[in-house]
Amino acid sequence: MRVAQLGSGTPEIAVVAGIHGDEPCGVRAVQRLLDERPTVERPVKLVVANESALERQVRYVDEDLNRAFPGDPDATTHEGQLAHELVAELEGCLTFSMHSTQSHADPFAIVKGVDETAREIVPQLPVAAMVETSNFAEGRLFSAIDTVEVECGLQGSETAAENADRLTRAFLTAVGVLPGDTVQRELPVYRLTDVIRKDQAETYEVFVDNFTEVEAGSPFAAADGDEQIAEESFYPVLMSPNGYQDVFGYTAEKLDVLETPATAD
């Protein structure tokens, strides 16, 4: 784990990249900040988390770090020990954590719950949606640390790296680290409701688009040509043929649309 800081004092804000070693987009955003060293109005901690996995260009060494929190100093896995160290490093910080995905090109945010912090900050980010994952938060960073996660784009793409830089700077502006203003957006909010499992197969297909409603009775995915049919309507999130070993993605319900605050006359 590599830790750096911009500004003097004790940070209450942190940016984390490299939770997964096959998602380098956030690492590039952090490195750009370190290279430029912009003037900051409050201190911020910058962390590159799983350096061992990044060096090997694999998702993790022993286990998924974003399912290992809060970790254990006596864990038998690299990520189990690293999770404990990372929680200690981020204690007391509102944290921005960057990821990428094989399922959706447009950035979106993931939060443990739609609380006051999420409602204030996430609409200021250049994201297409906010996803609440309270039912599926176990082991993730935001189960231990106050965190806003973002999926920056398609894994390994140049666009994801560019998005990571834009998202990081928007977050740092929203929380008062960088000077300037942000743009408030109307933002749809979804809540994950279930996991869509997939059987072992040679080929996988997905017939639907993320965040687009699937009607009851519609086929939405297939394993070796065996179609899965929606028993009830849902919104797919993180759906892709090959993103997870045994999961197509998640079903979600649409909760709300956060409106842009009215401008005073």
Side-chain angles (χ1 to χ4, degrees):
M1 179 170 59
R2 176 162 57 109
V3 181
Q5 181 171 322
L6 298 178
S8 59
T10 301
E12 296 178 336
I13 301 296
V15 173
V16 175
I19 291 283
H20 294 133
D22 58 355
E23 298 176 2
C25 59
V27 180
R28 288 179 55 181
V30 166
Q31 188 59 53
R32 185 171 176 181
L33 284 170
L34 291 173
D35 290 343
E36 294 182 5
R37 304 199 70 83
T39 300
V40 295
E41 298 185 346
R42 59 188 298 199
V44 58
K45 183 175 292 189
L46 305 175
V47 180
V48 175
N50 201 340
E51 290 186 289
S52 294
L54 285 161
E55 290 170 2
R56 303 180 195 189
Q57 298 182 338
V58 296
R59 187 169 182 81
Y60 52 80
V61 176
D62 296 316
E63 64 172 318
D64 189 334
L65 178 57
N66 211 27
R67 300 297 184 273
F69 293 101
D72 186 335
D74 299 318
T76 58
T77 64
H78 165 69
E79 280 80 10
Q81 294 182 25
L82 180 59
H84 173 78
E85 294 168 8
L86 188 54
V87 167
E89 191 65 51
L90 297 174
E91 185 177 1
C93 290
L94 172 61
T95 297
F96 183 72
S97 178
M98 288 173 283
H99 295 263
S100 55
T101 175
Q102 295 187 32
S103 68
H104 198 66
D106 295 329
F108 61 95
I110 303 176
V111 295
K112 182 180 179 181
V114 185
D115 57 14
E116 183 178 349
T117 299
R119 287 179 174 273
E120 178 184 351
I121 291 174
V122 177
Q124 299 182 64
L125 307 179
V127 294
M130 177 163 60
V131 177
E132 178 195 309
T133 182
S134 55
N135 295 331
F136 303 92
E138 184 176 357
R140 298 176 74 126
L141 178 59
F142 47 50
S143 68
I145 295 294
D146 191 9
T147 303
V148 174
E149 282 190 7
V150 287
E151 297 285 355
C152 299
L154 294 178
Q155 187 174 325
S157 68
E158 184 64 27
T159 300
E162 294 170 357
N163 289 342
D165 184 65
R166 288 193 304 119
L167 287 158
T168 301
R169 291 168 191 267
F171 170 78
L172 293 178
T173 302
V175 297
V177 172
L178 294 178
D181 298 315
T182 59
V183 177
Q184 291 271 355
R185 297 165 178 80
E186 292 188 354
L187 198 64
V189 182
Y190 302 85
R191 176 190 291 139
L192 300 187
T193 54
D194 205 356
V195 178
I196 303 172
R197 302 289 179 185
K198 66 181 181 185
D199 297 329
Q200 186 173 358
E202 294 292 327
T203 61
Y204 299 104
E205 300 170 272
V206 168
F207 310 132
V208 296
D209 295 323
N210 284 288
F211 302 111
T212 300
E213 187 174 19
V214 177
E215 296 183 356
S218 301
F220 59 87
D224 282 346
D226 185 13
E227 292 185 346
Q228 293 194 30
I229 307 298
E231 296 182 2
E232 56 186 22
S233 63
F234 70 92
Y235 289 87
V237 175
L238 289 168
M239 282 279 288
S240 75
N242 302 304
Y244 299 99
Q245 184 174 357
D246 56 356
V247 171
F248 274 116
Y250 296 87
T251 65
E253 59 183 341
K254 191 172 184 179
L255 295 181
D256 197 2
V257 175
L258 299 183
E259 303 286 347
T260 302
T263 303
D265 292 334

